[in-house]
């Protein structure tokens, strides 16, 4: 059975073509898959399960129809939608995965993660990440009204865009030591992630053995899906048109 992976769709009401493409994908190609894995940043921003607007609700409905039709879908949080919680899972029937998850793909053990934790050269981002993952801060944030949460998120997004514009491209990519560490910690030869928006199948030498790091693409100009069949991985693009 084909296993599908997507990430970094960054769905947002201002980019309806991407959302329409994803909804078509859920009704079409994704129906032939064994499992669909969404490895984070499905949404451009997620300020809490109780704050979904009409655009987000259309996506929740589509995911619910997908799982109700008997298809398996699993979601791992990204840096933009790390506040996805139990409400989302109950609403959609999608299984929430831990930030680092081990699965088996066609007989091979694979580590799934969003990918932001591998970008350790981006020190300011890693500081921000540690901050937003403090439980007490998160609880405080979720206690705010959805409107205020939206304003805080927009402010944080503006700061992040301004900061990223001045960062050299290398520091926005994964750090090779962090990658090797992730492979070793989980004892795997296969890693699948997104976040960097640099789709590729990398082969590398890990302690004398061949390892693979598969990177998913973002949904900006077109959709990007990793198909994993019994022949192996294949990155495919789907047109927004
Ligand atoms: Mn990301």
């Amino acid at each position: 059975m084909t296993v599908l992976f997507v990430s970094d769709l960054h769905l947002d009401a201002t980019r309806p073509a991407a959302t329409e493409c994803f909804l078509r994908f859920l009704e079409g190609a994704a129906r032939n898959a064994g499992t669909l894995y969404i490895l984070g940043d499905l949404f451009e921003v997620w300020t809490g399960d109780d704050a979904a607007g009409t655009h987000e609700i259309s996506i929740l409905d589509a995911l619910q129809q997908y799982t109700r039709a008997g298809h398996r879908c699993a979601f791992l949080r990204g840096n933009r939608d790390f506040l996805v919680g139990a409400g989302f899972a109950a609403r959609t029937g999608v299984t929430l995965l831990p930030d680092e998850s081990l699965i088996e793909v066609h007989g091979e053990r694979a580590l799934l993660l969003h990918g932001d934790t591998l970008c350790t050269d981006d020190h300011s981002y890693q500081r921000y990440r540690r901050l937003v993952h403090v439980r007490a801060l998160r609880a405080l944030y979720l206690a705010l009204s959805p409107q205020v949460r939206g304003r805080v998120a927009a402010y944080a997004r503006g700061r992040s865009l301004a900061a990223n514009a001045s960062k050299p491209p290398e520091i926005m990519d994964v750090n090779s030591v962090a990658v090797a560490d992730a492979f070793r910690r989980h004892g795997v030869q296969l890693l699948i992630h997104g976040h960097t928006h640099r789709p590729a199948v990398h082969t590398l030498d890990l302690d004398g053995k061949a390892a693979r790091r598969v990177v998913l693409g973002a949904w900006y100009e077109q959709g990007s899906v990793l198909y994993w069949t019994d022949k192996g991985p294949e990155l495919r693009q789907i047109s927004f048109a």
Side-chain angles (χ1 to χ4, degrees), residues 8 10 40-41 78-80 114 116 194-197:
D8 304 284
H10 294 277
D41 290 359
N79 54 301
R80 313 299 296 277
H114 177 58
D116 54 326
H195 182 67
T196 60
H197 303 183

Side-chain angles (χ1 to χ4, degrees), residues 41 45-48 77-84 99 114 116-117 123-144 149 152-157 159-160 195:
D41 290 359
V45 63
W46 190 262
T47 57
R77 297 170 184 88
N79 54 301
R80 313 299 296 277
D81 46 19
F82 64 94
L83 287 173
V84 162
D99 287 354
H114 177 58
D116 54 326
T117 51
H123 301 292
S124 60
Y125 170 70
Q126 295 301 335
R127 272 197 303 276
Y128 163 81
R129 189 178 192 280
R130 280 193 293 275
L131 187 72
V132 299
H133 281 76
V134 172
R135 273 172 186 278
L137 267 183
R138 199 183 285 204
L140 271 177
Y141 178 76
L142 289 172
L144 299 169
R149 270 183 263 158
V152 173
Y155 172 76
R157 182 68 195 132
R159 289 277 305 255
S160 155
H195 182 67

Side-chain angles (χ1 to χ4, degrees), residues 37-104:
Y37 288 95
I38 304 171
L39 302 189
D41 290 359
L42 170 63
F43 300 103
E44 175 69 0
V45 63
W46 190 262
T47 57
D49 294 347
D50 59 338
T54 47
H55 171 257
E56 288 76 24
I57 287 169
S58 69
I59 298 157
L60 300 182
D61 286 343
L63 287 169
Q64 185 188 53
Q65 280 172 24
Y66 183 72
T67 61
R68 281 201 176 156
H71 302 285
R72 273 168 40 85
C73 181
F75 175 84
L76 188 151
R77 297 170 184 88
N79 54 301
R80 313 299 296 277
D81 46 19
F82 64 94
L83 287 173
V84 162
F88 168 91
R91 175 77 162 74
T92 58
V94 170
T95 306
L96 292 186
L97 300 176
D99 287 354
E100 295 191 343
S101 289
L102 288 170
I103 62 159
E104 206 166 285

